[in-house]
């Protein structure tokens, strides 16, 4: 039984066409299915095991209703078995209503902190369908359209290096520039002898800089 | 038994860094962390980060209404991008808005923008937790500290620095994309600034408790050559006029 469910989880996972959702047959005629209509292509299939909706080849949704929460710990077993059987990223959508609200903190702790899964609360199936639409859109979008995925191009180091050198007590912008023109990098500056430093900034500051780099307490 | 005594000891050392801005906007979180959860709270200027719960994780606290429309889009995304440049892991706590005096209850109208924002965060591997009030946020923060402690990445250096160490901390903090905690770890992990500057990437990773990749980034920065021609005009000109 477990083995069969395992394979069905994996099998469904590899065949989600772009912009589609593969849903568990049990959702036929539901408010979620109706909410998705016309927005994204929903294919309903049997044998998805624990999964309610496959969003892509990598992620899927497990839905926990208000009734599931009130009924006890059955949903926990389902989530744990999914976690053990599948390498998919599981997004758990939980119905957080006036009735199930009291269970939410414990459920969140279990799902996010103990199982390391993602949890998103919704008030009802209508909200769930709207959320699923956005999740699917995000999955089918280009990487670069997600502001949290594209790498910021690194700034020029020069301004930072100047700022770092100015953190040395007694060194302002003018002295920092003089030092960097002489010693080129923070590494070289740090390894300069007092005599070397004196040639650039004078005795007192040279000693102060040297002390800053070498003091151990 | 010695085991439970050890556990108690570890639990007692739970530590969290809180940005000084949270004193006004999250006062109940701070007092709840201290009084209810017995967490050691160190308030300091974290520079663009609300909470640090471990060597690798920052926590950003946002109210639900801030994520409902694009009005705050730039501010929110820039904050999180900034955290991404410094931390391996980021968690966003989405907190329910407070009911202000005079308001009966605020109805939460879910928007497409809100769902899209959550979707984008999830795809980027950012964790999201939901909280109904500041007390609950405090609870979540403590839980995060505990989870991170279990994974051996808890904050374990003294969080207050004085004298020469404080000067060194300021110096380390000016390294680009370094977290407050990595800088703090450096203060304690290296006997002197010179020792740190002369370290290999591997030693930097150990001393600062950062990833190998981050350590290499720091190493490159320390060794990178300063080219006056590449300095932005503004800084350049000012420096010249003084000589």
């Amino acid at each position: 039984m477990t083995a069969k469910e395992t394979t069905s989880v994996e099998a469904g996972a590899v065949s989600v066409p772009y912009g589609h959702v593969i849903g568990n047959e049990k959702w036929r005629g539901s408010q979620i299915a109706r909410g998705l209509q016309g927005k994204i292509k929903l294919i309903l299939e049997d044998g998805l095991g624990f999964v309610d909706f496959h969003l892509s080849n990598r992620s899927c949704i497990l839905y926990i209703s208000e009734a599931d929460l009130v009924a006890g710990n059955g949903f926990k077993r389902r989530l744990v078995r999914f976690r053990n059987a599948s390498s998919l990223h599981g997004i758990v959508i939980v119905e957080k209503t006036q009735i199930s609200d009291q269970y939410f903190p414990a459920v969140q702790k279990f799902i996010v902190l103990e199982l390391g899964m993602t949890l998103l609360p919704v008030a009802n199936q209508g909200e769930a369908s709207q959320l699923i639409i956005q999740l699917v859109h995000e999955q089918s979008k280009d990487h670069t359209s997600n502001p949290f995925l594209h790498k910021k191009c690194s700034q020029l180091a020069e301004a930072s290096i100047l700022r770092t050198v100015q953190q040395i007590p007694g060194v302002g912008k003018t002295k920092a520039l003089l030092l960097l023109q002489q010693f080129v990098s923070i590494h070289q500056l740090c390894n300069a002898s007092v005599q070397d430093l004196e040639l650039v900034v004078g005795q007192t500051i040279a000693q102060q800089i040297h002390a800053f780099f070498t003091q151990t307490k | 038994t010695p085991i439970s005594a050890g556990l108690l000891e570890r639990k007692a050392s739970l530590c969290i860094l809180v940005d000084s801005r949270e004193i006004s906007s999250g006062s109940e979180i701070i007092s709840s962390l201290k009084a209810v959860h017995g967490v050691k709270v160190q308030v300091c200027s974290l520079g663009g980060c609300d909470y640090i719960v471990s060597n690798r994780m920052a926590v950003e606290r946002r109210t639900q209404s801030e994520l409902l429309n694009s009005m705050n889009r730039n501010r929110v995304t820039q904050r999180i991008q900034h955290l991404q440049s410094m931390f391996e892991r980021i968690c966003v706590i989405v907190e329910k808005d407070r009911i202000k005096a005079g308001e009966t209850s605020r109805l939460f109208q879910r928007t497409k923008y809100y769902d899209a924002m959550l979707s984008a965060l999830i795809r980027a591997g950012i964790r999201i937790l939901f909280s109904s009030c500041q007390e609950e946020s405090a609870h979540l923060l403590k839980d995060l500290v505990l989870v991170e402690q279990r994974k051996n990445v808890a904050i374990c250096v003294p969080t207050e620095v004085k004298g020469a160490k404080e000067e060194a901390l300021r110096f380390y903090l000016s390294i680009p994309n370094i977290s407050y905690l990595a800088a703090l770890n450096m203060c304690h992990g290296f006997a002197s600034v010179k020792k740190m500057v002369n370290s290999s990437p591997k030693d930097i990773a150990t001393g600062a408790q950062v990833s190998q990749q981050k350590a290499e980034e720091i190493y490159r920065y320390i060794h990178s050559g300063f080219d006056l021609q590449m300095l932005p005009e503004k800084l350049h000109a000012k420096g010249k006029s003084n000589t």
Side-chain angles (χ1 to χ4, degrees):
Chain A
M1 185 63 196
T2 313
K4 198 183 161 208
E5 276 171 343
T6 307
T7 42
S8 63
V9 164
E10 304 289 355
V14 284
S15 56
V16 186
Y18 234 50
H20 283 57
V21 167
I22 295 181
N24 197 311
E25 180 63 35
K26 74 177 183 198
W27 289 98
R28 186 175 295 278
S30 67
Q31 203 192 337
I32 292 187
R34 285 200 304 276
L36 298 179
Q37 236 166 39
K39 305 282 178 26
I40 42 174
K41 297 238 164 53
L42 173 67
I43 304 165
L44 292 170
E45 277 180 15
D46 265 328
L48 295 192
F50 301 113
V51 174
D52 288 295
F53 298 95
H54 283 288
L55 300 181
S56 72
N57 307 339
R58 275 168 288 111
S59 61
C60 62
I61 286 172
L62 293 98
Y63 195 86
I64 296 173
S65 67
E66 176 189 66
D68 291 332
L69 287 178
V70 176
N73 285 330
F75 74 91
K76 287 191 178 178
R77 275 191 294 278
R78 182 175 146 221
L79 292 177
V80 170
R81 286 175 71 188
F82 165 81
R83 272 271 290 159
N84 293 340
S86 174
S87 58
L88 291 174
H89 174 213
I91 299 169
V92 184
I93 295 183
V94 170
E95 277 180 14
K96 185 172 184 280
T97 62
Q98 279 190 327
I99 293 168
S100 66
D101 203 33
Q102 55 177 315
Y103 305 107
F104 186 78
V107 168
Q108 172 164 262
K109 188 175 177 185
F110 177 72
I111 293 174
V112 182
L113 300 178
E114 287 175 37
L115 296 183
M117 296 171 80
T118 301
L119 174 147
L120 295 170
V122 294
N124 50 49
Q125 286 196 22
E127 280 194 6
S129 64
Q130 297 305 309
L131 176 58
I132 291 171
I133 290 167
Q134 292 309 316
L135 285 166
V136 172
H137 280 177
E138 178 60 44
Q139 301 269 355
S140 46
K141 270 196 275 182
D142 184 25
H143 240 239
T144 52
S145 66
N146 183 322
F148 311 117
L149 280 176
H150 61 242
K151 283 258 175 272
K152 260 197 301 182
C153 43
S154 54
Q155 301 165 302
L156 285 173
E158 267 67 22
S160 303
I161 295 175
L162 183 61
R163 192 155 18 93
T164 299
V165 173
Q166 281 178 252
Q167 304 307 312
I168 303 167
V171 177
K173 190 180 287 168
T174 310
K175 289 200 179 72
L177 278 168
L178 287 172
L179 287 165
L180 281 167
Q181 278 168 281
Q182 184 65 38
F183 300 105
V184 182
S185 69
I186 293 168
H187 181 256
Q188 281 189 38
L189 173 62
C190 186
N191 287 294
S193 67
V194 180
Q195 290 76 18
D196 293 336
L197 293 167
E198 269 178 16
L199 297 174
V200 185
V201 290
Q203 198 182 8
T204 319
I205 300 294
Q207 275 167 358
Q208 213 173 325
I209 295 170
H210 193 260
F212 170 75
F213 283 131
T214 53
Q215 66 200 346
T216 51
K217 57 171 183 171
Chain B
T1 65
I3 293 166
S4 61
L7 278 174
L8 274 176
E9 206 177 0
R10 288 190 69 183
K11 229 186 151 188
S13 68
L14 288 182
C15 174
I16 189 166
L17 297 186
V18 179
D19 186 53
S20 37
R21 287 181 178 207
E22 288 288 293
I23 294 174
S24 56
S25 66
S27 58
E28 283 164 48
I29 296 184
I30 298 177
S31 53
S32 178
L33 279 170
K34 287 181 188 167
V36 183
H37 303 290
V39 176
K40 184 181 171 245
V41 175
Q42 178 74 48
V43 178
C44 33
S45 179
L46 297 181
C49 168
D50 292 338
Y51 299 89
I52 300 177
V53 295
S54 72
N55 285 326
R56 60 180 187 179
M57 188 189 272
V59 179
E60 172 82 359
R61 188 174 141 250
R62 288 282 148 195
T63 58
Q64 223 167 21
S65 62
E66 286 176 295
L67 303 178
L68 277 178
N69 58 56
S70 58
M71 228 169 63
N72 305 300
R73 186 185 164 87
N74 284 344
R75 198 158 45 94
V76 173
T77 52
Q78 277 167 13
R79 284 272 296 199
I80 292 172
Q81 283 170 344
H82 182 54
L83 293 179
Q84 285 180 306
S85 71
M86 299 187 290
F87 290 90
E88 280 172 70
R89 292 189 186 212
I90 295 142
C91 179
V92 176
I93 293 182
V94 180
E95 196 177 276
K96 207 168 158 184
D97 292 80
R98 282 186 143 175
I99 298 166
K100 295 189 188 112
E103 275 179 337
T104 40
S105 82
R106 203 186 272 207
L107 200 65
F108 169 57
Q109 274 290 354
R110 207 177 175 108
T111 62
K112 197 190 267 188
Y113 180 83
Y114 178 80
D115 286 338
M117 182 58 117
L118 295 182
S119 303
L121 290 169
I122 289 169
R123 190 179 178 205
I126 293 163
R127 269 141 252 254
I128 307 171
L129 289 167
F130 296 86
S131 160
S132 60
C133 59
Q134 291 201 11
E135 284 77 6
E136 197 178 334
S137 297
H139 203 126
L140 290 170
L141 283 163
K142 186 216 64 182
D143 283 342
L144 283 170
V145 174
L146 270 174
V147 169
E148 291 294 273
Q149 187 186 61
R150 237 178 282 140
K151 295 189 175 154
N152 287 321
V153 285
I155 301 170
C156 51
V157 292
T159 51
E160 259 171 311
V161 285
K162 292 248 153 66
K165 272 214 163 71
E166 201 183 345
E167 292 173 354
L169 179 65
R170 271 201 292 276
F171 181 83
Y172 294 141
L173 280 172
S174 70
I175 297 171
N177 302 332
I178 198 166
S179 75
Y180 187 92
L181 200 69
L184 197 60
N185 285 335
M186 280 181 172
C187 284
H188 299 287
F190 297 101
S192 68
V193 175
K194 190 172 179 174
K195 278 258 165 60
M196 186 269 142
V197 170
N198 286 319
S199 293
S200 65
K202 194 163 167 280
D203 292 336
I204 294 173
T206 312
Q209 290 290 304
V210 293
S211 68
Q212 187 66 27
Q213 195 193 348
K214 176 60 77 181
E216 275 161 22
E217 198 183 314
I218 295 168
Y219 180 88
R220 274 198 302 277
Y221 176 72
I222 287 163
H223 287 260
S224 70
F226 180 85
D227 182 353
L228 190 61
Q229 301 304 315
M230 301 299 279
L231 193 66
E233 207 53 45
K234 214 170 52 187
L235 297 169
H236 192 174
K238 228 179 177 179
K240 254 188 174 172
S241 67
N242 287 343
T243 50

